Amino acid sequence: MRKLIFASAVLFCLSLLTVQGQKAPDAGYPITPVPFTQVKVTPGTFWGQRLEASRNVTIPLAFSKCEETGRYTNFVNAAAHLQDPSKTFKVGGLSFDDTDPYKTIEGASYLLQTYPDKKLVAYIDSVLDIIAAAQEPDGYLYTSRTQNPRKPHEWSGPKRWVKEEDLSHELYNLGHMVEGAIAHYQATGSRKFLDIAIRYADCVVREVGPNAGQACVVPGHQIAEMALAKLYLATGERKYLDEAKFFLDYRGKTTIKHDYSQAHQPVVEQSEAVGHAVRAAYMYAGMADVAALTGDSAYIRAIDRIWENIVEKKLYITGGIGATSNGEAFGKNYELPNMSAYCETCAAIGNVYVNYRLFLLHGLSKYYDVLERTLYNGLISGVSLEGNGFFYPNPLESMGQHQRQPWFGCACCPSNICRFIPSLPGYVYAVKDGSVYVNLYLSNESELDVLGKRVELSQTTQYPWDGDIELTVKKNNVGAFALKLRIPGWVLGQVTPGSLYEYADDVRPGYRVTVNGKKVSGEMSGDGYLTIDRKWRKGDVVRIHFEMQPRTVRANRKVEADRGMVCVERGPLVYCSEWADNDFDVMSVLMNQKPEFTISNTTIADTPIKMLSTNAQTLDFDKSGRLTVTDVELRLIPYYAWCHRGSGKMRVWQAWDLSATNPGQPATLASESKISTSYESASLGAINDRLTPKDENDRSIPYFHWWPKNKSTEWLAYEFPRQSHVQSATVYWFDDGPWGGCRVPKSWRLLYKDASGEWSPVTGVKTYPVTKGEPCTVAFDPVETMGMKLEVTLPDDNSSGVFEWTVR
């Protein structure tokens, strides 16, 4: 008999029922999640608006992109080949394109439990018909191979699993399929997607493993570990948990051993977060799941070590992780550049997964401090307030080269946002025995199971805009229970756990809690929660007040990129300065040593926000090279809201010491020129922004590139504002080898616009240097001209790029 699974969108409830109708194994976590289906977020509030945008904009957009970009076509083609093997198709795109429909179905399924929609159910059902038809008879489902088994996707390898540890993503696809299928079953009771996922999972269990005749490989991109643990809970089939544990236990022991995919050593021996940040976070979350289900304490000790490494040395103030675009990876300890910060949206989601699971294991509020910081800053920055614009990386500084995109060819971040935002209500509460944890503060109505009896709570608040929360007991069938209120770290004077960040001011915020108007006395326990243990009655009201003042934060001095700087935050929100609110160069600002702030209301994208303002100065060099100082009012907005009003300069960390200032430079002939190019790019302005790299490895400033072009002749041109006398030029080449796709050019030359308006080569040049990381200067016979052209011959196998091009 078919029964509905009652489970959290992200984790598992101990009351989970199997699809066979038998009670599932205990989830293993000491603390039980409250399913998102039991928490109804109040419309029109901070998070209500986000959920509505997801429902009305993001998920419909994602489904339309699956149609427009050929995601569904891949399944149709695979089905056509299965029906008639003589039919084959050219396989393009990416080897993990199949996951975009899976993730979007997952997000839509979460929404269906809050917003029933028969049309959406029918649409998903039609998509599942297409997916099911592409499944091979033994359960294998991977369109990058099935469309054309003899000439599969170039990343797939000649046969199953041989490239799994590299780029095939066969097991990654399985992971997202299982996650989506379980969510769909929860929402609809239909086994349609679940049976597809079980058949593929069974195929993997048969063919991948340590035994003779099996492919002894582990996922190149982790997520199957989490998914198979969840499938074990959903079905009661131990083989899925065993497969997840195999994937973890054999990592670092198979053919490929490198830190990019955390395969450099066995997982239980790891102590530092390395490699691709999304892969890493998914693996750490999977380790927590398997540890909870198997009792393997070695996993827990390893995750605890890695978590400490992240929060002490590798966590951005926004909660983002992943410092470098080279491998989309963690950097070295304390390597946290701002403009080149990668901080992929998917990595922020993974960071939430990890911290949530560690809370369920340990019950400490510090994990929610990191989770909340990530949630309100580095995660929701990845999707616009309207729900239709996305960031892949989330930098902490910009010269205007960053723009929100309507979609990406590699669409993992938008589709991941589709599945995460609707699951948010599942993070608000948790239960352990007779204790109810209140972890996030947002307006909602909830129904909780405490000791097998119902408790209904109502939460009303304007958080994160103010620190006043009203929690009302609407129904209580259990009698006495302990209400555990999380007191955020920012209230207690701790920016993040550890010593990576600290407050730079003398502000000492406090908090106050009352029950039915009477102040609650008592100390916080060591877990970071204020516990109120009493017999609760219907109508009891708990009022919480957190003092919420603007604060300045400084980083550990070992973080070179932030030395001598401060960032501003208020409550859980990190603030930034942006061009749209300031009529001066925000990069040239020097903050007062003891800044005072005013708070005002404004809107961005028709959404209300709180703006902060403070007195500051700008430093600029005039034309004679003299430093000038100008008093200004610096306005700051929440970081998540930047780049809604066009592209321009943005900064999270503001100069506080003179040593960290970046005075505005006087105009040059190049900076006053109009730029044109053979290849349009949002980063075109980098070539004349007067910023030059420190060395060949500097990624802290913008650059322009022609990627993915290669083996071609490209160009850049300056149109001068007036006839000018020019006799030299300097180019700083962008070369991101060995990881990236740009190298110094094969050759280059300079041309000038002659009196007839034609481009003519300059004369008198001895050589055109192409040295990586050095100024490549060319002197030539002087010319009087209205423009210069830089003509570049790209390498045969790579592209090229430019940090800066100056003319004199």
Side-chain angles (χ1 to χ4, degrees):
M1 181 174 62
R2 188 170 62 193
K3 292 190 177 181
L4 184 64
I5 300 175
F6 295 98
S8 163
V10 239
L11 286 178
F12 332 105
C13 275
L14 290 174
S15 61
L16 187 70
L17 300 182
T18 71
V19 295
Q20 293 89 354
Q22 300 172 346
K23 194 174 188 300
D26 283 347
Y29 282 108
I31 298 173
T32 305
V34 172
F36 70 94
T37 52
Q38 303 304 109
V39 181
K40 310 300 182 187
V41 176
T42 307
T45 59
F46 185 93
W47 286 108
Q49 182 269 333
R50 286 283 180 168
L51 288 168
E52 285 293 325
S54 183
R55 174 195 178 196
N56 295 324
V57 179
T58 311
I59 286 178
L61 174 65
F63 277 132
S64 72
K65 290 297 181 181
C66 287
E67 295 176 5
E68 293 171 14
T69 60
R71 270 35 172 193
Y72 297 158
T73 302
N74 292 339
F75 292 97
V76 172
N77 291 345
H81 173 76
L82 291 175
Q83 292 172 359
D84 182 356
S86 67
K87 292 183 178 180
T88 57
F89 304 87
K90 183 178 180 180
V91 183
L94 297 166
S95 61
F96 47 86
D97 282 348
D98 290 357
T99 66
D100 291 334
Y102 303 157
K103 287 185 279 187
T104 308
I105 289 172
E106 182 182 351
S109 297
Y110 297 153
L111 284 176
L112 281 173
Q113 298 184 78
T114 305
Y115 307 102
D117 186 333
K118 291 181 180 180
K119 289 184 178 179
L120 181 56
V121 171
Y123 176 81
I124 293 173
D125 203 56
S126 69
V127 174
L128 292 176
D129 287 337
I130 296 170
I131 293 172
Q135 189 162 35
E136 297 189 16
D138 65 353
Y140 185 74
L141 210 173
Y142 179 69
T143 67
S144 289
R145 186 181 312 283
T146 308
Q147 292 181 77
N148 193 336
R150 292 187 178 182
K151 293 183 179 179
H153 192 282
E154 60 181 337
W155 291 356
S156 298
K159 60 181 182 178
R160 296 178 183 182
W161 321 121
V162 296
K163 287 289 186 180
E164 171 53 39
E165 295 186 340
D166 190 9
L167 288 169
S168 77
H169 290 81
E170 288 151 288
L171 297 176
Y172 175 77
N173 288 9
L174 168 70
H176 277 299
M177 179 192 295
V178 169
E179 296 266 341
I182 292 175
H184 179 258
Y185 181 76
Q186 290 175 243
T188 66
S190 167
R191 291 184 57 107
K192 193 169 190 176
F193 197 8
L194 186 64
D195 285 343
I196 296 169
I198 287 173
R199 292 184 64 213
Y200 190 17
D202 288 345
C203 173
V204 169
V205 170
R206 285 193 307 271
E207 297 189 5
V208 181
N211 301 317
Q214 291 183 302
C216 189
V217 297
V218 297
H221 193 311
Q222 299 90 318
I223 197 178
E225 300 85 349
M226 284 191 288
L228 288 172
K230 185 179 288 188
L231 189 59
Y232 159 62
L233 287 172
T235 63
E237 293 282 349
R238 176 80 188 194
K239 62 185 178 181
Y240 302 128
L241 177 61
D242 291 342
E243 189 76 2
K245 196 169 190 303
F246 159 73
F247 288 156
L248 292 169
D249 287 345
Y250 273 72
R251 186 165 291 276
K253 301 176 183 178
T254 58
T255 303
I256 295 180
K257 297 179 174 67
H258 51 63
D259 59 10
Y260 172 75
S261 59
Q262 300 74 45
H264 56 300
Q265 60 186 153
V267 297
V268 295
E269 297 176 14
Q270 297 183 26
S271 58
E272 181 180 357
V274 297
H276 189 274
V278 181
R279 285 169 163 83
Y282 286 0
M283 185 182 84
Y284 305 149
M287 288 170 68
D289 287 344
V290 173
L293 291 165
T294 64
D296 193 328
S297 60
Y299 281 8
I300 298 174
R301 289 193 296 271
I303 307 165
D304 288 345
R305 292 194 302 269
I306 294 166
W307 182 84
E308 288 180 6
N309 174 251
I310 293 173
V311 299
E312 288 275 6
K313 299 173 182 177
K314 299 192 177 187
L315 181 73
Y316 277 92
I317 192 66
T318 57
I321 54 174
T324 174
S325 61
N326 289 341
E328 300 177 330
F330 287 102
K332 299 175 183 177
N333 289 337
Y334 302 107
E335 181 187 355
L336 296 167
N338 291 310
M339 194 175 299
S340 61
Y342 205 68
C343 292
E344 185 179 336
T345 301
C346 288
I349 292 172
N351 199 24
V352 168
Y353 290 165
V354 172
N355 281 278
Y356 187 44
R357 284 159 166 80
L358 287 173
F359 160 75
L360 293 174
L361 281 171
H362 299 306
L364 302 178
S365 67
K366 64 181 181 180
Y367 302 113
Y368 254 93
D369 287 342
V370 178
L371 188 157
E372 182 181 65
R373 177 171 293 275
T374 305
L375 184 64
Y376 277 98
N377 300 290
L379 195 157
I380 57 172
S381 60
V383 58
S384 67
L385 290 161
E386 304 96 330
N388 59 0
F390 305 92
F391 278 138
Y392 196 108
N394 292 271
L396 281 74
E397 190 171 299
S398 179
M399 295 293 292
Q401 73 271 37
H402 302 95
Q403 294 177 326
R404 294 187 182 274
Q405 300 296 323
W407 205 250
F408 300 99
C410 175
C412 57
C413 291
S415 55
N416 225 356
I417 282 286
C418 283
R419 77 189 189 107
F420 179 81
I421 295 294
S423 74
L424 171 77
Y427 291 90
V428 180
Y429 303 103
V431 175
K432 181 181 181 183
D433 301 325
S435 295
V436 174
Y437 291 84
V438 183
N439 285 316
L440 293 178
Y441 297 107
L442 54 97
S443 293
N444 69 86
E445 303 285 334
S446 61
E447 296 179 2
L448 289 67
D449 184 337
V450 182
L451 299 174
K453 297 181 180 180
R454 175 178 285 193
V455 173
E456 295 182 10
L457 301 177
S458 172
Q459 195 181 144
T460 304
T461 181
Q462 294 298 313
Y463 196 92
W465 303 126
D466 67 43
D468 293 314
I469 303 105
E470 184 176 286
L471 193 66
T472 303
V473 178
K474 294 290 189 178
K475 185 175 184 178
N476 178 22
N477 291 339
V478 73
F481 64 89
L483 191 66
K484 298 178 73 69
L485 305 174
R486 183 177 69 92
I487 309 302
W490 59 264
V491 177
L492 302 174
Q494 186 170 46
V495 184
T496 57
S499 59
L500 187 56
Y501 302 103
E502 65 179 6
Y503 288 111
D505 53 42
D506 297 324
V507 177
R508 296 290 182 268
Y511 67 93
R512 183 176 67 257
V513 179
T514 64
V515 176
N516 299 330
K518 295 182 180 180
K519 184 177 179 181
V520 174
S521 59
E523 296 295 324
M524 260 180 29
S525 53
D527 59 6
Y529 290 84
L530 179 67
T531 302
I532 309 173
D533 195 346
R534 57 174 278 161
K535 185 175 182 180
W536 298 93
R537 293 179 173 82
K538 180 180 178 180
D540 283 346
V541 177
V542 179
R543 288 187 173 87
I544 308 163
H545 172 71
F546 297 134
E547 293 180 5
M548 190 178 284
Q549 299 150 288
R551 306 290 307 272
T552 52
V553 175
R554 60 186 166 214
N556 188 302
R557 286 190 58 79
K558 293 178 182 178
V559 182
E560 181 182 0
D562 302 334
R563 201 172 293 159
M565 309 183 87
V566 293
C567 87
V568 178
E569 58 183 45
R570 180 174 179 266
L573 297 176
V574 172
Y575 276 69
C576 68
S577 56
E578 191 182 20
W579 68 277
D581 306 301
N582 299 283
D583 58 0
F584 48 84
D585 185 355
V586 297
M587 299 298 181
S588 66
V589 165
L590 176 64
M591 289 274 288
N592 290 352
Q593 291 292 299
K594 293 184 178 180
E596 296 181 356
F597 297 91
T598 58
I599 304 168
S600 59
N601 296 314
T602 188
T603 59
I604 293 179
D606 296 323
T607 304
I609 67 159
K610 297 283 188 184
M611 176 182 284
L612 304 181
S613 302
T614 186
N615 292 328
Q617 296 80 41
T618 57
L619 307 183
D620 300 278
F621 289 110
D622 63 16
K623 291 184 178 180
S624 67
R626 185 176 69 91
L627 186 66
T628 62
V629 180
T630 306
D631 290 330
V632 297
E633 182 183 42
L634 179 66
R635 298 181 179 91
L636 304 109
I637 62 169
Y639 168 75
Y640 74 77
W642 82 282
C643 206
H644 280 82
R645 299 166 291 180
S647 296
K649 293 183 179 181
M650 180 278 296
R651 191 171 222 188
V652 168
W653 290 94
Q654 317 294 333
W656 196 45
D657 294 342
L658 282 172
S659 61
T661 56
N662 183 27
Q665 300 293 320
T668 64
L669 182 58
S671 71
E672 292 180 322
S673 298
K674 182 180 178 180
I675 314 169
S676 57
T677 178
S678 59
Y679 184 68
E680 291 298 328
S681 167
S683 61
L684 187 59
I687 70 168
N688 68 347
D689 61 9
R690 292 160 288 176
L691 298 176
T692 57
K694 299 174 185 176
D695 55 43
E696 64 184 49
N697 298 313
D698 187 4
R699 298 293 180 269
S700 65
I701 62 172
Y703 51 87
F704 165 85
H705 60 75
W706 285 282
W707 190 87
K709 292 193 172 187
N710 57 39
K711 206 175 183 178
S712 61
T713 300
E714 307 296 334
W715 56 268
L716 292 164
Y718 282 148
E719 180 183 329
F720 298 152
R722 55 193 169 275
Q723 187 86 0
S724 300
H725 179 87
V726 184
Q727 58 188 18
S728 72
T730 299
V731 180
Y732 291 84
W733 299 109
F734 172 71
D735 182 326
D736 59 356
W739 283 95
C742 289
R743 302 294 184 272
V744 295
K746 181 184 289 188
S747 62
W748 62 289
R749 65 173 183 159
L750 291 167
L751 302 92
Y752 73 100
K753 189 166 284 188
D754 60 24
S756 65
E758 299 295 323
W759 291 111
S760 299
V762 298
T763 58
V765 177
K766 293 183 179 180
T767 183
Y768 284 99
V770 287
T771 307
K772 179 178 177 178
E774 298 291 337
C776 295
T777 301
V778 168
F780 47 85
D781 296 331
V783 294
E784 298 290 330
T785 182
M786 285 296 295
M788 294 290 295
K789 187 175 187 178
L790 175 68
E791 194 174 83
V792 178
T793 302
L794 303 182
D796 291 344
D797 299 322
N798 289 283
S799 195
S800 295
V802 175
F803 277 113
E804 192 76 5
W805 172 29
T806 64
V807 291
R808 292 173 179 247

